[in-house]
Amino acid sequence: MKKLVIIGNWKMNKNLHETQEFLSDFEKEYLNNKRKINKKIEFGIAAPFTNLFLLKDKIFKSVAQNFSNFDSGAYTGEVSASMLKDLGVSMVVLGHSERRQYFNETNEVVNKKTLQAIKENITPIVCVGETLEEYEAGQTKDVIAKQLKESLAGVEDFSKVIIAYEPVWAIGTGKTATAEIAQDICSFIRENTSKKVVIQYGGSVSPSNIEELMSQKDINGALVGGASLKADSFIKLLTLNK
Ligand code: 13P
């Protein structure tokens, strides 16, 4: 089996107590299902900043959902890469469509953060994806090409980044892109970047569709929202629903 990177994106969910509960459920489920989880699957959880310290030294990667493109200083409310590294964070989700939509994150900002992540040795998971309107107007590839060009400007070594294709119309809607659509766009992303880049699909991934999506040639993992919030469902993603 090819290597897969499956990351749960918790978004703004779970307080401390709920995170502790998840971790204790997850440990039990993991031990019960360990045989079914392929060693080539790398997995992690992108938790809110306040819970990241609980994920340190666990069996999965600790992932941040955002960070500052500045090193340190007078940037009230921001969290830096080095602060996250202290907590054992090794990856960061950047340019998620919710950040682009609600917090005005542009390709330019995503690009600064991507380069900061590479400089700090944190793997950026750079999200791209078209809106429903753009999808229906047949503009998907133009939109993705622009997001890739601008968000990844200056990236030289594509083994240091992960790209997540998340069609906005498939996020939290229960509407997954068909495996064919997801494969077509992920292959387009590969052609426009590098053969060696890890490409995830995200958008209503669940235990029932993960196996088909992950078997596509150019899909190397998943970025999962809702289905990563419960330990039993997250484990089913890791066993590819076996
Ligand atoms: P859902 O899996 O809930 O559709 O969310 C996808 C997502 O936004 C992951 O980053």
Side-chain angles (χ1 to χ4, degrees), residues 37 94 102 109 130-131 151 172:
I37 302 174
L94 295 178
Y102 305 126
V109 171
E130 80 286 7
T131 62
S151 305

Side-chain angles (χ1 to χ4, degrees), residues 26 38 48 92 124 146 161 223 233:
F26 183 86
N38 194 296
V92 61
K146 183 170 158 59
V161 301
L223 192 54
S233 147

Side-chain angles (χ1 to χ4, degrees), residues 9 11 96 98 166 170-173 202-205 223-227:
N9 176 10
K11 310 190 178 185
H96 190 281
E98 287 148 16
E166 297 207 306
I171 295 177
T173 57
S204 297
V205 175
L223 192 54
V224 189

Side-chain angles (χ1 to χ4, degrees), residues 89-109:
V89 168
S90 60
M91 293 179 166
V92 61
V93 178
L94 295 178
H96 190 281
S97 62
E98 287 148 16
R99 295 214 56 84
R100 293 177 185 266
Q101 185 182 350
Y102 305 126
F103 304 99
N104 302 323
E105 257 187 34
T106 59
N107 289 333
E108 196 190 346
V109 171

